[in-house]
Each structure stands twice: as C-alpha cells, then as structure tokens.
Amino acid sequence: MRMKIVNEITVKIKKKSAQSYIKGYPLLTKEALVTMPAMEEGTILRLVDESGRFLAKGYHGNQNKGIGWILTYDEKQTLNQAFFITLFEEAFAKRQVFFNDDATTAFRIFNGEGDGLGGLTIDYYDGFLVLQWYSHGIYQWKSTILAAIKTVITTRGIYEKRRFDAKGQYVESDDFLEGDTAPEPLIVKENGINYAVYLNDGAMTGIFLDQRDVRKTICDTYAAGRTVLNTFSYTGAFSVAAAFGGASHTTNVDVANRSIPKTREQFTVNELDPAAHTIMAEDVFQYFKYANRKALAFDMVILDPPSFARTKKTTFSVAKDYGKLLEESIAITNPNGIIVASTNYAGYGMDKFKQVVQEAFKNQGRKYRIVEQFTLPADFATRSSFKEGDYLKVLFLEVK
Ligand code: SAH
C-alpha cells in the first residue's frame, strides 16, 4: 500500500498549557498554541514549550473542541505502520475477554484517545469492523492505519463512517471498504440476545454498543413483571433486553418512521412476537400528552434522547429540556417504578446530571433513590487525564 508523506512541523505551546500536556492531557486546542501556523490536516506536530523543550508529538485534525490529538511522548518515534500496529495490538489484547465470550459478538476494540489515538474508533461486529474517522486529519492516515489493522486482526470485511463534515456530522456515503460485505441484517449477540445491525445504512448501525451494561442490568435485575415505556426507542434495543428479562409489556416511542420496522425486526430475530408490544412513530412530547389524557402509567420508563434533535413539532436539547423530560416521566411512573435516565451530552458531568434529576423530582413532589449508576463500559476505554472522554451518564432511579 502506498503511503502518504505527511509533514512534521514544530509548534510552541503556551507556558500555562505545557503542564497539562506533561500530565497527559491528550486533546490539542488552539488556545494552547502560541501561534496557530497554516498547515494541512494530518500534519504531524512536534510540540515544544516556550523555551523550545520537547513535550510530545501529535497530529493536526479539526474536531469539535480541538485541533488535534497527542500521539506519543517519545521524540524519536516516527508515525509509521509499526507505531499503529503497537497501538492496535495493545488495544485488541485488552478486549480479549470480549473476543473469548461467545455470548457477546459486538463490542468496541479501539476507542480513540482512550486507546492512544484520538479521532478514530473501531467497532467489532461478529468479524466485521466499522471504523469511524472524526477528522480530515486522521483520514489522511487511512492507508497506513488500514494496513496496520490488517496486520493485527483477521476480519470478514471492513466498513468506515466518516464523521467530519463542517459540523462533525456523518458524511453520507457507501461505507463498505473491503473484504466481504456483511449480511443485511447482520445478527450480532450481546449477552446471549440477538440484535439485527446494518453496517452500510447511514451513521447508526442499529445498536449503541456503549449501553451494553445498561441493557444487561435492565434484563437481569429490573425488567421482571414490569410494564416498560421506552422513549427515543430507535430500534427498541432496551425493550428487547427488557422483554428477555420478563417485562410484561413494552411501549416503544420514536419520532422516526423507520423505528417501527426496525423494532419489529429486533423482536423477531429473538423469536419474540412484536405484536405483543406497542411500537409507535410519535414525538415523545406528544406521547406524554396522550399518556396523561389516557391516565397511562408504567413500571419502568427509559429516557435516552439524543443531545439535540429537531422534529416537525419540537426542538429538543438535553441542556434545556432534560428536566422537563424527567418531570413528564415521573408523572407517569408507578410507585416503586424505575426511571432509566441516560444522556451522552458532553456538557453534563455526572454531578450536574444528578442535580437535574434532583430538581425534577423536587418539582414533581416525588421522592427517589439512585439504585444504579453507569458510565462507559470497559471496552470504551477512557483515560483519567481526559474526563470529557467518558461522556455516558446513566442513572436508574427508583421512584417512591
Ligand atoms: N435509546 C436508543 C437510541 C436513541 S437514538 C437505543 O438505545 O438504541 C435517538 C433517537 O431519538 C432517534 O431514533 C430519533 O429518531 C429519536 N428522536 C429524536 N427526537 C425525538 C422526539 N422528539 N421524539 C421521539 N423520538 C425522537
């Protein structure tokens, strides 16, 4: 494979930022640079402090908050195939328990900066890989990175998602790269439950792998005998886990029409009868009104909205509206019921999220207890020097 020559330039880090890079902060920001030189994305950056002392090497790639990522603290390290091979070997070795587990065939094998290379994630779906590139910069290294991956792991086929247009949005494209194409749907397993996924169907595959532990806990501990309302239900993955755990009924609400056939399929591939469940295409805020009118109440309400969404009827943002969403949910949760409150909104830390929860219960005059708490699962490796990377916050709230 032909390799692209990518230039290396030296950039100076401001005195007040140098210390955080010495401590291992992996994100390169514009504010940290003394001056931002004109350079192409993908350029290798040799970072020095204001007195010219070597700090680290990174690369330039524009991605929402940063302009690149740190790669190594070894000045002599060149960014060749061998460098990436070492990274992938270490990362894949850390997932050995997942590779050895026949009951779980879909998981993350490389998690960006958590595994030493910001801007790239790799998910494993029963022998197929899905690479996600988060900047033009990292994409410049594609041929070297692909060659390195193939040295370390044998795959059935490889797909990619490019997530780097102006707003960091998914670039609509044919995502198949090489090898065999995956069946449509591809059936993966998670803790023994089947999930239908599509590797070449836009930005999302049908399952969010970071919620594995949450699905397992719903199934194993909280679903039995309960009626479940799953809002922002997408393919109904939480509902399938709940049904396996003995939920008496699930109601699935998502504004997207595609959710209906996709949710039916998730039940069907597990030999569960979708007709035994309620699956509807509806704005959740409209649904709450309907539930109030009909005096409906549930034993479990699941809330896992996107950070931001605009529909014909409403604009939702976690930052503004999570409290309202919780209050609507509290109002239709039976005593001793469970609310599963989840968000991947990067602007909230766990503490802030807990405050929003507390406020909502206070406004509704109901008491609660936090019975479970989750952040990212083990395969979504994060590092302590970069707390922002651990974006997932999930609370199980027992409503009194
Ligand atoms: N909880 C899901 C993932 C949710 S993805 C899971 O675990 O698989 C976000 C979903 O929210 C999308 O399917 C989108 O269609 C839906 N959505 C966005 N705004 C909505 C709204 N106002 N009402 C209902 N669904 C909405």
Side-chain angles (χ1 to χ4, degrees):
M1 194 167 283
R2 204 150 55 98
M3 275 183 224
K4 203 173 184 122
I5 306 298
V6 183
N7 295 330
E8 177 174 311
I9 64 171
T10 297
V11 290
K12 262 198 180 132
I13 297 294
K14 286 180 191 160
K15 202 168 174 191
K16 66 174 195 295
S17 298
Q19 200 53 33
S20 59
Y21 292 110
I22 289 168
K23 286 195 189 128
Y25 190 71
L27 181 66
L28 203 55
T29 61
K30 198 172 177 179
E31 299 72 52
L33 303 185
V34 173
T35 52
M36 172 93 179
M39 56 185 162
E40 305 252 318
E41 286 204 41
T43 301
I44 297 304
L45 305 176
R46 189 176 155 270
L47 311 188
V48 297
D49 67 12
E50 289 196 38
S51 57
R53 203 167 44 134
F54 174 80
L55 294 171
K57 276 188 183 182
Y59 77 90
H60 173 41
N62 290 320
Q63 202 183 315
N64 44 43
K65 275 171 261 126
I67 59 138
W69 294 98
I70 303 297
L71 296 168
T72 177
Y73 301 94
D74 177 359
E75 187 163 18
K76 290 195 247 14
Q77 179 68 60
T78 50
L79 298 177
N80 48 19
Q81 194 170 316
F83 171 78
F84 294 114
I85 287 175
T86 304
L87 276 185
F88 295 137
E89 277 173 347
E90 283 172 8
F92 301 170
K94 276 198 235 162
R95 277 74 174 183
Q96 207 52 54
V97 285
F98 290 96
F99 283 111
N100 293 342
D101 177 3
D102 291 341
T104 298
T105 60
F107 46 92
R108 178 153 293 192
I109 58 174
F110 193 85
N111 194 39
E113 73 285 354
D115 283 303
L117 174 62
L120 173 71
T121 64
I122 309 175
D123 293 325
Y124 181 90
Y125 289 92
D126 195 24
F128 293 93
L129 301 188
V130 176
L131 279 52
Q132 301 196 77
W133 311 96
Y134 284 87
S135 73
H136 281 285
I138 190 68
Y139 201 63
Q140 300 308 308
W141 290 87
K142 175 173 162 174
S143 63
T144 313
I145 288 173
L146 261 182
I149 290 169
K150 288 190 286 180
T151 310
V152 182
I153 190 170
T154 307
T155 71
R156 295 168 72 189
I158 304 180
Y159 289 77
E160 69 173 355
K161 310 274 177 205
R162 289 181 286 149
R163 297 179 162 275
F164 51 72
D165 86 346
K167 292 191 192 81
Q169 293 297 308
Y170 168 72
V171 179
E172 212 51 64
S173 60
D174 179 357
D175 294 341
F176 176 67
L177 279 183
E178 56 181 82
D180 291 332
T181 55
E184 295 190 339
L186 171 68
I187 307 299
V188 297
K189 275 192 189 302
E190 182 188 274
N191 295 307
I193 300 177
N194 290 331
Y195 291 97
V197 301
Y198 294 81
L199 303 186
N200 202 359
D201 186 27
M204 306 190 285
T205 61
I207 186 168
F208 286 94
L209 299 176
D210 56 1
Q211 298 278 14
R212 178 187 319 108
D213 295 347
V214 176
R215 282 186 288 268
K216 180 168 168 56
T217 302
I218 288 174
C219 176
D220 292 354
T221 314
Y222 294 96
R226 285 195 153 111
T227 56
V228 177
L229 171 63
N230 185 5
T231 63
F232 305 93
S233 55
Y234 182 41
T235 65
F238 284 128
S239 300
V240 172
F244 260 91
S248 57
H249 182 263
T250 76
T251 301
N252 298 270
V253 182
D254 193 292
V255 74
N257 288 320
R258 57 148 200 240
S259 272
I260 296 178
K262 282 187 174 292
T263 303
R264 285 200 187 120
E265 181 176 53
Q266 276 329 5
F267 281 108
T268 307
V269 298
N270 285 291
E271 284 155 30
L272 297 168
D273 180 9
H277 298 267
T278 305
I279 304 170
M280 46 205 282
E282 171 84 277
D283 186 298
V284 293
F285 289 99
Q286 295 299 120
Y287 182 80
F288 283 129
K289 282 185 197 150
Y290 164 84
N292 279 315
R293 225 170 34 238
K294 299 271 175 185
L296 300 181
F298 300 87
D299 304 325
M300 178 184 283
V301 178
I302 301 171
L303 289 176
D304 178 35
S307 292
F308 184 84
R310 179 174 286 131
T311 71
K312 285 192 202 96
K313 294 193 176 106
T314 50
T315 300
F316 171 86
S317 84
V318 164
K320 272 197 307 73
D321 302 315
Y322 208 99
K324 194 164 80 191
L325 204 54
L326 273 165
E327 288 192 42
E328 297 273 19
S329 304
I330 294 164
I332 58 168
T333 302
N334 286 323
N336 302 316
I338 296 285
I339 295 177
V340 177
S342 169
T343 182
N344 56 16
Y345 174 52
Y348 277 2
M350 187 60 99
D351 290 347
K352 172 70 188 166
F353 191 43
K354 285 181 178 172
Q355 271 174 25
V356 173
V357 167
Q358 191 174 26
E359 187 88 353
F361 276 90
K362 198 172 133 209
N363 291 343
Q364 287 292 310
R366 299 276 292 274
K367 291 215 158 35
Y368 70 102
R369 194 164 66 95
I370 296 174
V371 289
E372 306 281 347
Q373 175 171 325
F374 293 89
T375 55
L376 285 175
D379 50 328
F380 283 65
T382 55
R383 43 165 85 186
S384 54
S385 58
F386 192 64
K387 294 270 188 282
E388 309 90 296
D390 196 358
Y391 56 82
L392 186 69
K393 291 139 296 246
V394 185
L395 297 171
F396 283 47
L397 309 162
E398 188 183 75
V399 183
K400 306 285 177 182

